[in-house]
Amino acid sequence: MRFLAVIITGLALIAPAAHASSLLNKIGMAKADYFVAQQAYADWRIVGLLLALAFLANIGNAIVLRADAPA
């Protein structure tokens, strides 16, 4: 369960990290160019479902590990 929670959480962070890392390059763009560049994220809304799965996996992990004091 711990491995699954870590993997899903990592996958859920890919989209926000990609968006944040490209933000500095997009700040100086003209409005039209910015909207063209944003089209790269058009199909990434499905990746947003990983956030809910990561939340559930981490809650499940917390429930499974609540009796394990070092964890």
Side-chain angles (χ1 to χ4, degrees), residues 7 11 13 28-29 40 42 44 49 52 54 58 61-63 68 71:
I7 294 299
L11 289 173
L13 292 176
M29 288 181 158
W44 284 35
L49 298 174
N58 283 299
N61 193 28
I63 291 169
D68 189 9

Side-chain angles (χ1 to χ4, degrees), residues 47-70:
V47 179
L49 298 174
L50 287 174
L51 186 60
L53 289 175
F55 179 74
L56 293 174
N58 283 299
I59 293 296
N61 193 28
I63 291 169
V64 169
L65 294 175
R66 69 178 172 207
D68 189 9

